[in-house]
Amino acid sequence: NAGVTQTPKFQVLKTGQSMTLQCAQDMNHNSMYWYRQDPGMGLRLIYYSASEGTTDKGEVPNGYNVSRLNKREFSLRLESAAPSQTSVYFCASSATSGPYNEQFFGPGTRLTVL
Amino acid sequence: EDKVVQSPLSLVVHEGDTVTLNCSYEVTNFRSLLWYKQEKKAPTFLFMLTSSGIEKKSGRLSSILDKKELFSILNITATQTGDSAVYLCAPGRDDEAAGNKLTFGGGTRVLVKP
């Protein structure tokens, strides 16, 4: 049972380049999330998908797009990377139904934009 | 807008000391409050609290929630060097359509010296 997996683990981009961060979960969770974490700060929500077929903006969506490809996979795309997007990106998932909303996190992608 | 404030920002203690971490929040349709521990990589789940006055315990860690005063406390007794981490507080909404979003505080960095 792998939980939440993310690829790549590290990436360096030049300003203006594009890339897609991949995330997959094998826990049959309905909800998936993308966060960014900057040095000394907590996690800020970029986008989330409450269920397959839906996506919605979080706290800091500008400069990003997402795709909920199926129930397992949720990708984050940077169309034109900027230095301000240098950060560590975490994907997470949670079961929507029931009284609990614990989120399980992937190992993160460290992105540097030069 | 949901707000979460953690204090102190950081602290340094010696092994065997007790630490108390604070989390105050303002969240619409509050459902639960989660505590996470983050070492070098992804946050890992510690506790979920849903009712006031219920103290959760796991070994040397314990946590309590006050839904009237809108705060939670995380205590770590007999600290060990392995407790060194950033501790994140995250209240969650009772909003299934929104995918059970969590709002993360900025975290408290704890350093335990031998």
Side-chain angles (χ1 to χ4, degrees):
Chain A
N1 188 340
V4 181
T5 57
Q6 292 182 235
T7 56
K9 292 182 178 167
F10 302 94
Q11 185 71 50
V12 179
L13 293 177
K14 294 181 180 178
T15 297
Q17 288 185 318
S18 62
M19 77 161 296
T20 300
L21 282 64
Q22 306 287 352
C23 174
Q25 51 90 11
D26 62 2
M27 295 175 283
N28 201 35
H29 284 168
N30 287 317
S31 300
M32 297 185 74
Y33 313 83
W34 276 105
Y35 293 92
R36 61 177 288 173
Q37 186 174 38
D38 299 311
M41 298 183 68
L43 295 151
R44 292 187 292 170
L45 184 64
I46 305 171
Y47 271 92
Y48 65 96
S49 172
S51 60
E52 186 179 356
T54 68
T55 60
D56 211 338
K57 296 178 180 179
E59 181 185 354
V60 288
N62 291 343
Y64 305 95
N65 284 300
V66 290
S67 296
R68 184 74 182 266
L69 304 171
N70 48 56
K71 191 171 186 178
R72 291 187 63 249
E73 298 172 289
F74 189 38
S75 63
L76 177 72
R77 183 161 178 84
L78 287 70
E79 291 291 353
S80 179
S84 61
Q85 294 178 304
T86 294
S87 190
V88 180
Y89 291 84
F90 289 102
C91 176
S93 70
S94 68
T96 304
S97 60
Y100 304 111
N101 53 3
E102 176 190 348
Q103 292 184 12
F104 296 83
F105 286 83
T109 295
R110 185 174 295 275
L111 175 67
T112 301
V113 183
L114 302 176
Chain B
E1 181 180 336
D2 296 346
K3 294 181 181 178
V4 185
V5 178
Q6 291 188 244
S7 62
L9 290 179
S10 65
L11 69 162
V12 180
V13 298
H14 288 91
E15 278 191 315
D17 288 348
T18 295
V19 299
T20 299
L21 310 181
N22 303 293
C23 173
S24 63
Y25 63 89
E26 295 177 30
V27 171
T28 304
N29 297 329
F30 174 84
R31 169 188 283 190
S32 59
L33 189 136
L34 285 71
W35 283 96
Y36 284 83
K37 178 182 182 182
Q38 185 176 24
E39 296 174 84
K40 292 186 177 179
K41 294 187 176 179
T44 54
F45 174 73
L46 292 174
F47 292 117
M48 178 186 294
L49 304 108
T50 58
S51 301
S52 281
I54 302 298
E55 185 174 4
K56 290 267 191 173
K57 294 185 177 182
S58 175
R60 297 175 295 100
L61 275 67
S62 63
S63 183
I64 193 163
L65 175 67
D66 187 325
K67 292 171 72 174
K68 181 179 179 183
E69 300 298 329
L70 308 182
F71 74 88
S72 178
I73 289 172
L74 176 68
N75 282 312
I76 309 173
T77 59
T79 52
Q80 304 170 355
T81 55
D83 296 325
S84 296
V86 175
Y87 291 84
L88 299 168
C89 159
R93 287 186 170 194
D94 184 2
D95 186 352
E96 186 163 327
N100 298 326
K101 287 193 297 182
L102 299 177
T103 301
F104 283 84
T108 294
R109 183 176 297 276
V110 176
L111 175 62
V112 182
K113 292 187 172 182

